[in-house]
Amino acid sequence: MKRLRTAMLAAAGAAVLISVTGCSEGREYALPDDICGVAVDSALIAPLLPPGAKLEQSTYAARPHAPRCELTVDKNTVLTVKGDVTTADEDVIGGIGQRLASSGDPAQIDVGDAARVADSMAVAVARCTYEGKPSQFIVEIYPPAKASDVPARREALTRLMTVYFPAAQKAVGCAS
């Protein structure tokens, strides 16, 4: 009986090792330590990035308070992040409600004043003061539409948004 249990434990350990090493198998690029110029632990980004040879990040601001960036792996967009400062009275979550619904099963998460995570996007918003005016800061994160493990991707999006959102809000100067 002990031999059978030992053999089963060894097989389970080998399966875990294979699954863990399989996650990074084929990833030849270094993981980024920031998104849109905001420092983020690369371990939070890793679950959202596929294997590949070359990762590139293009960062730009549509306006001074609207950071945007795309991460591409082998010239395919794998993660898009958009931030913006809006007026205090704009219904941000309501305004993107249709997009959230079509992104698959949106659920509330605990980030900012209101936030949702769906199968293929996450969004968060918080009231703030920007340039002396009551405003709101919003972040939208879009991974690729296809995923083999949607629950894991939703969890990864939630963890990333939880850390990225307050740091990005501070970076654009939108004080709580």
Side-chain angles (χ1 to χ4, degrees):
M1 188 64 127
K2 269 189 171 178
R3 263 190 219 173
L4 179 59
R5 187 175 11 200
T6 302
M8 289 173 63
L9 286 173
V16 168
L17 181 61
I18 289 169
S19 69
V20 169
T21 58
C23 289
S24 62
E25 188 174 310
R27 188 179 288 152
E28 300 170 25
Y29 54 84
L31 292 170
D33 56 3
D34 74 277
I35 297 176
C36 294
V38 175
V40 177
D41 183 349
S42 63
L44 294 171
I45 305 167
L48 297 167
L49 300 179
K54 184 176 182 182
L55 176 118
E56 295 178 296
Q57 181 173 184
S58 60
T59 301
Y60 62 97
R63 294 175 303 285
H65 57 272
R68 306 275 196 269
C69 60
E70 286 188 353
L71 279 71
T72 59
V73 172
D74 299 337
K75 300 198 186 283
N76 296 308
T77 301
V78 296
L79 194 66
T80 302
V81 179
K82 299 177 181 180
D84 204 355
V85 175
T86 65
T87 61
D89 60 347
E90 185 175 336
D91 179 10
V92 174
I93 299 294
I96 63 171
Q98 183 62 35
R99 219 174 335 154
L100 273 165
S102 66
S103 292
D105 195 26
Q108 187 171 338
I109 57 174
D110 189 23
V111 179
D113 294 334
R116 306 284 185 277
V117 65
D119 293 349
S120 60
M121 79 176 285
V123 62
V125 63
R127 289 179 303 277
C128 61
T129 301
Y130 181 75
E131 295 182 343
K133 298 178 204 160
S135 303
Q136 297 180 92
F137 182 65
I138 179 173
V139 167
E140 299 171 58
I141 301 175
Y142 298 93
K146 295 183 182 192
S148 59
D149 188 353
V150 172
R153 177 170 61 182
R154 289 172 66 105
E155 179 61 31
L157 281 168
T158 300
R159 284 192 314 271
L160 177 59
M161 185 65 87
T162 300
V163 172
Y164 179 78
F165 183 83
Q169 182 178 357
K170 184 177 180 181
V172 298
C174 205
S176 299

